[in-house]
Amino acid sequence: MSITPTERDAALALNMVLPGGTDWISAGDDAITQNAGKVAVKIQQMLLEIPQKLSADIVGTYRHLVLAAWQRNTRDYYTDIYTDSYGAPLKLIDYGATMPLLLDGKIHASVVPELDYAKTDGSTPFTEIFLGQSIRLREVRGARGHRLQYTSRNPANTETRPYFEVDASDEDYAGDVIAGYQCHVTGDGSTPNSGERVYWFLEAHGLEHTANANPDFEGWFSIGVSNRAELTERGKGRALIMDAGNRPGMAFHFYKPYIELQPNTAFTLDDRARPAWGDGAGVNHAARTVGTLIGAHPINMRREGAIGPRWQTQSNSPGASPETLNLRTRGTVEAPLPVQAGDRLSAWKSGTVYNVSPDHVHVPNGGTGPENLPFVTAQTLAVATEAFVEGTAQGTRQEIQVTPKGTTTLVTGLQIEEPEVAGDTSILVRTNKDGTTTQTRVKIGAPDSGGPGLRALVIPN
């Protein structure tokens, strides 16, 4: 008679001894064989007594025992860049100890080590979680609060960069908000919209949802603050402020219909040329050159009716007033050079436009198309009259240009320039003498030419 492997394992697990007190492990095969008949019956009896032999603090019905125990690894499973200091996990090894399993195959909580293992009720702390092949989540304790850090477990692989992605289902594409992120100040996601709820949000909207019924805004993406009720002081909406360097830069007010630049903050626009990128094909990959926008005007304001910027200054100083400043140099933004004689320093232009492109902004064909082209019919120019030398030479003149009837060419109707010859004035006017149109400087007449004690302003014959 012999015993089965299952019976042998059970006897080993129960530390059963052979007749005469010999322990099972040290007994040779001959001794086991000689006592097989006796121990087989004993094994079957002990297997039936397993539930009673389990510790009293373990509650439940058990299917069988597994020959396993917990052992701390000396290295983590991931042996690339992580060291033992991160704490290697426990693993199950088979070396003859007993471990009860519940009927559903789960290990009973009483035999699971407490350290570093998370329980379903969250009572057991843990420091990090690995998900899939590349995601690593862990707690980081830092300034102004603790954070959930998301890093890659394979940082050397550029295709395993950490990303956070939220996907809408196929059925949600036409809805209002289909995915997003909310940070609540008052209330939470379970608070009804009729309740007090204030939050900051990043939200993506469905492909068939628009803002202000504008089809250009279908499937729009929004960022801002929302206030669902104003029941208490905490329920009032707050502004959305763009920060840079922990300094408020631009504010979007909740109740006020304007965007506000914060003190000591400037709006700077840089429209320098850029080379092509990507494959160089298509409008988004083509090289960018000045002039592809309307007359190289990156800022365009448009409405049906009157429009105009407003500058307002409050000050008790006589020298304070609203200002506009136009600066001109040669060279580049990083390395400006002095202007030369004849260079325009600034221009205030007026005119019209006859055609528009579909997007109302770009001049098609790299700035050569007829749409959105401005036709300037009057302008005021500031022009340099000499090569500038800082602190020494900065001569200028002012020109007022108009377009004569029946033409499309600007001419200078009035020019103001410092008189350099005795008897001259700073005024040059456009004159028509016997059908010949020229620009003539106004001179000072002879003494008493304007009456006793007065000089007349005259134009030479």
Side-chain angles (χ1 to χ4, degrees):
M1 180 179 179
S2 62
I3 63 173
T4 66
T6 300
E7 292 171 333
R8 177 187 175 92
D9 291 342
L12 177 64
L14 295 170
N15 295 321
M16 178 181 173
V17 296
L18 294 171
T22 304
D23 68 89
W24 189 269
I25 297 177
S26 62
D29 291 339
D30 293 341
I32 296 174
T33 301
Q34 293 174 3
N35 295 277
K38 297 178 182 180
V39 300
V41 175
K42 182 62 176 177
I43 289 172
Q44 294 298 325
Q45 293 175 348
M46 297 183 71
L47 288 174
L48 295 176
E49 296 173 357
I50 286 176
Q52 288 76 31
K53 291 181 177 296
L54 296 175
S55 175
D57 65 336
I58 301 178
V59 180
T61 304
Y62 300 90
R63 182 173 58 185
H64 61 279
L65 297 177
V66 293
L67 306 179
W70 298 102
Q71 175 178 305
R72 174 70 69 180
N73 283 348
T74 58
R75 293 279 301 176
D76 198 345
Y77 294 127
Y78 306 96
T79 58
D80 43 12
I81 64 172
Y82 302 114
T83 63
D84 291 345
S85 62
Y86 284 92
L90 296 176
K91 72 175 182 178
L92 284 172
I93 63 170
D94 183 354
Y95 74 102
T98 61
M99 181 168 294
L101 297 180
L102 299 180
L103 289 176
D104 59 1
K106 295 179 180 178
I107 301 176
H108 195 277
S110 63
V111 295
V112 176
E114 293 294 327
L115 183 62
D116 296 341
Y117 279 80
K119 297 181 180 179
T120 56
D121 61 1
S123 59
T124 303
F126 58 97
T127 59
E128 60 185 21
I129 297 176
F130 292 160
L131 297 176
Q133 298 180 2
S134 60
I135 296 177
R136 178 172 180 247
L137 301 176
R138 68 173 181 171
E139 179 192 36
V140 175
R141 295 174 177 263
R144 297 188 176 183
H146 305 326
R147 298 93 187 272
L148 178 64
Q149 185 186 76
Y150 170 23
T151 59
S152 171
R153 284 159 49 193
N154 301 299
N157 187 343
T158 59
E159 294 302 318
T160 60
R161 295 179 293 268
Y163 273 83
F164 185 78
E165 180 176 313
V166 178
D167 290 338
S169 68
D170 293 340
E171 293 78 16
D172 286 340
Y173 79 97
D176 180 0
V177 176
I178 58 175
Y181 172 85
Q182 294 181 350
C183 179
H184 282 76
V185 178
T186 301
D188 56 33
S190 65
T191 305
N193 288 339
S194 58
E196 189 170 359
R197 184 180 175 208
V198 178
Y199 58 92
W200 174 80
F201 63 84
L202 288 167
E203 293 176 342
H205 299 263
L207 298 180
E208 295 182 3
H209 182 76
T210 66
N212 297 330
N214 187 337
D216 290 342
F217 297 155
E218 290 181 353
W220 59 309
F221 181 81
S222 57
I223 175 174
V225 294
S226 183
N227 176 18
R228 295 298 186 180
E230 189 173 327
L231 306 180
T232 67
E233 182 65 23
R234 282 182 58 84
K236 293 182 179 180
R238 300 296 190 266
L240 172 67
I241 299 179
M242 298 295 188
D243 272 18
N246 201 30
R247 175 181 56 81
M250 183 167 57
F252 297 77
H253 294 274
F254 189 84
Y255 289 114
K256 301 173 183 178
Y258 55 78
I259 301 171
E260 181 181 0
L261 288 178
Q262 299 301 289
N264 199 29
T265 301
F267 180 83
T268 301
L269 184 147
D270 185 355
D271 190 36
R272 285 175 290 171
R274 296 291 187 271
W277 62 279
D279 56 10
V283 63
N284 292 325
H285 291 250
R288 294 295 181 183
T289 57
V290 175
T292 55
L293 294 176
I294 302 176
H297 303 155
I299 299 177
N300 297 274
M301 288 182 253
R302 172 188 299 108
R303 65 169 294 181
E304 295 182 6
I307 186 174
R310 172 177 173 174
W311 289 265
Q312 181 174 334
T313 298
Q314 282 78 36
S315 175
N316 293 329
S317 172
S321 65
E323 298 177 353
T324 58
L325 179 61
N326 301 289
L327 301 176
R328 163 70 193 278
T329 66
R330 291 198 176 197
T332 65
V333 174
E334 290 84 2
L337 297 174
V339 297
Q340 300 299 305
D343 286 353
R344 290 187 179 183
L345 303 180
S346 67
W348 289 98
K349 300 183 178 183
S350 302
T352 188
V353 61
Y354 294 105
N355 301 287
V356 294
S357 61
D359 63 5
H360 302 280
V361 174
H362 286 88
V363 179
N365 301 319
T368 62
E371 294 86 359
N372 281 331
L373 286 178
F375 291 86
V376 177
T377 58
Q379 64 182 357
T380 300
L381 302 178
V383 182
T385 57
E386 61 182 345
F388 279 16
V389 178
E390 183 179 359
T392 301
Q394 297 176 166
T396 61
R397 70 171 183 263
Q398 198 81 29
E399 297 181 13
I400 298 178
Q401 296 185 347
V402 295
T403 302
K405 292 181 180 180
T407 72
T408 59
T409 303
L410 289 166
V411 297
T412 300
L414 176 65
Q415 179 174 312
I416 302 175
E417 185 176 351
E418 177 68 14
E420 298 179 357
V421 178
D424 284 353
T425 69
S426 63
I427 303 172
L428 290 89
V429 295
R430 186 174 176 81
T431 60
N432 188 330
K433 300 176 183 178
D434 300 325
T436 301
T437 304
T438 60
Q439 190 177 49
T440 307
R441 183 180 291 273
V442 177
K443 293 183 174 293
I444 303 173
D448 298 327
S449 59
L454 299 175
R455 290 175 180 261
L457 295 182
V458 297
I459 298 175
N461 291 328

